[in-house]
């Protein structure tokens, strides 16, 4: 595909994460979102108007069948990712699926096999792999400039009722393990190129209405001996998102969003660009160059196996 030809995209979902992808695509250019397939009619129409998308629909299958669409970004509710990704692969489209690719290991294995059988780009939005602070830490670790001893990750939201990051009501229930812990488990394995982590953890009480554990702690140990401690809560008031403390032989470094600081608060030099822009640019570049992207379905499958081990140990999902 010529670099001058925009990649025509269908985006599934009209919620908060869909807007973040649209902002990233506007920032990097090279793509045209031709349709949004949403879940709530009024919200989908408003989303299309806000972002100047010419067409909108509530029929994902019909939108997917259009011949003027090259690629699909799945920014839909987590329970829909596996089904929609499978349909997009079958329709011959390139796919960028929001994290998680699925909510269980069996669907992840099936999707990875389907992706392996196509020549299309199939990628998962494991955004931490594209976040500048973590990219810089991976570089330092690989170069022997930083020897990681302990990664401490804190993931916080206040979600005692079904609302998204902007406080709008949700029709589906989020998951601390398969969604939010997925980011940090994958990050640790990716940083150290080690998918054979030792894992353990525990989950707190289930919410009486939402039916999900609202707090978790997870431990990881790499073959090198490096440790990771993950603390996650849907009960926390304060700044939302992931906070990362890298404790190493040479320094202690703090990563939050696209910034990296040392223990005294001094900003560190990191690659330019927001994590979502870098991630979505990788998706478009892999399509144009006909290559496997970073965070392909196959590359993310080992993380799903680790989550399955944690799920069985913690009793998050009935088996």
């Amino acid at each position: 595909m010529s670099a001058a030809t925009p990649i025509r995209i269908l985006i599934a979902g009209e919620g908060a994460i869909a807007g973040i992808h649209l902002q990233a695509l506007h920032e990097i250019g090279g793509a045209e979102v031709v349709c949004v397939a949403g879940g709530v009619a009024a919200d989908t129409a408003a989303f299309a108007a806000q972002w100047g998308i010419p067409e909108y629909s509530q029929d994902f299958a019909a939108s997917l069948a259009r011949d003027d669409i090259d690629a699909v970004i799945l920014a839909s509710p987590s329970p829909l990712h596996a089904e929609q990704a499978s349909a997009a692969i079958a329709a011959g489209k390139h796919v960028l699926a929001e994290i998680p690719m699925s909510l269980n290991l069996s669907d992840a294995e099936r999707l990875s096999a389907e992706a392996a059988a196509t020549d299309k780009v199939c990628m998962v939005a494991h955004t931490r792999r594209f976040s500048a602070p973590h990219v810089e830490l991976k570089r330092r670790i690989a170069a022997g400039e930083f020897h990681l001893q302990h990664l401490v990750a804190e993931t916080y939201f206040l979600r005692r009722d079904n609302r998204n990051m902007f406080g709008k009501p949700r029709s589906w229930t989020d998951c601390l393990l398969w969604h939010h812990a997925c980011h940090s488990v994958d990050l640790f394995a990716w940083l150290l190129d080690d998918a054979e982590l030792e894992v353990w953890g525990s989950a707190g009480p289930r919410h009486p209405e939402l039916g999900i554990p609202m707090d978790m702690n997870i431990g990881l140990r790499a073959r090198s001996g490096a440790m990771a401690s993950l603390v996650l809560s849907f009960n926390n008031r304060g700044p939302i998102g992931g906070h990362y403390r890298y404790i190493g032989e040479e320094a202690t470094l703090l990563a939050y969003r696209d910034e990296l600081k040392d223990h005294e608060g001094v900003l560190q030099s990191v690659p330019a660009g927001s994590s979502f822009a870098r991630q979505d640019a990788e998706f478009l570049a892999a399509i144009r160059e006909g290559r496997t992207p970073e965070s392909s379905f196959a590359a993310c499958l080992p993380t799903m196996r680790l989550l399955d081990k944690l799920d069985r140990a913690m009793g998050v999902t009935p088996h």
Side-chain angles (χ1 to χ4, degrees):
M1 178 177 286
S2 166
T5 304
I7 295 170
R8 299 165 299 181
I9 292 177
L10 164 67
I11 188 158
E14 76 281 17
I17 202 68
I20 292 174
H21 280 286
L22 263 294
Q23 184 176 349
L25 292 173
H26 280 227
E27 181 180 336
I28 61 182
E32 178 186 0
V33 179
V34 299
C35 183
V36 53
V40 178
D43 291 348
T44 305
F47 185 89
Q50 177 186 358
W51 292 101
I53 302 171
E55 297 187 45
Y56 60 90
S57 170
Q58 287 181 271
D59 191 333
F60 176 75
S63 301
L64 192 62
R66 294 171 48 153
D67 60 8
D68 63 341
I69 288 172
D70 306 307
V72 181
I73 295 178
L74 300 178
S76 49
S78 294
L80 299 180
H81 292 175
E83 175 188 346
Q84 290 183 337
S86 183
I89 292 170
K93 311 298 186 184
H94 303 285
V95 183
L96 173 58
E98 253 306 321
I99 191 172
M101 73 167 91
S102 67
L103 292 171
N104 59 66
L105 178 58
S106 60
D107 279 344
E109 289 176 332
R110 174 177 55 81
L111 285 172
S112 296
E114 291 171 358
T118 182
D119 62 352
K120 301 300 181 181
V121 172
C122 296
M123 176 176 166
V124 191
H126 280 223
T127 315
R128 297 293 183 272
R129 294 190 183 199
F130 302 92
S131 179
H134 306 304
V135 170
E136 171 61 14
L137 263 298
K138 184 175 175 67
R139 184 199 68 77
R140 293 189 189 187
I141 290 169
E145 300 172 11
F146 184 84
H147 295 82
L148 181 64
Q149 295 171 332
H150 200 162
L151 173 62
V152 181
E154 301 168 77
T155 302
Y156 296 135
F157 294 90
L158 182 62
R159 289 194 174 154
R160 293 183 179 178
D161 55 10
N162 249 350
R163 296 181 184 274
N164 67 19
M165 68 178 73
F166 299 128
K168 292 185 176 182
R170 264 187 172 153
S171 61
W172 56 284
T173 304
D174 205 353
C175 178
L176 270 180
L177 178 63
W178 287 94
H179 180 187
H180 297 287
C182 187
H183 279 294
S184 298
V185 172
D186 181 75
L187 172 64
F188 188 64
W190 172 76
L191 283 166
L192 300 176
D193 293 317
D194 186 354
E196 302 297 326
L197 304 177
E198 181 183 353
V199 302
W200 62 93
S202 60
R206 293 180 182 273
H207 189 282
E209 296 176 3
L210 301 179
I212 58 170
M214 300 290 284
D215 291 273
M216 290 181 184
N217 57 57
I218 291 171
L220 311 170
R221 181 162 45 224
R223 285 174 290 181
S224 67
M227 303 279 291
S229 296
L230 282 50
V231 176
L232 305 100
S233 181
F234 277 164
N235 282 313
N236 185 73
R237 291 176 171 84
I240 66 171
H243 307 251
Y244 295 87
R245 178 180 294 269
Y246 284 88
I247 301 171
E249 183 66 26
E250 295 81 5
T252 295
L253 300 169
L254 308 173
Y256 180 63
R257 301 199 186 280
D258 294 313
E259 286 189 347
L260 182 66
K261 299 178 179 179
D262 68 12
H263 70 284
E264 294 181 336
V266 177
L267 282 170
Q268 306 292 293
S269 177
V270 298
S274 71
S275 54
F276 273 87
R278 292 164 61 87
Q279 169 189 269
D280 290 12
E282 167 69 2
F283 180 54
L284 301 183
I287 293 172
R288 295 190 186 283
E289 296 165 14
R291 61 171 175 81
T292 301
E294 176 68 74
S295 71
S296 67
F297 279 33
C300 296
L301 183 57
T303 294
M304 304 302 278
R305 292 180 177 136
L306 293 171
L307 293 177
D308 183 66
K309 289 181 181 179
L310 284 164
D311 195 335
R312 293 176 183 277
M314 298 162 66
V316 175
T317 305
H319 288 89

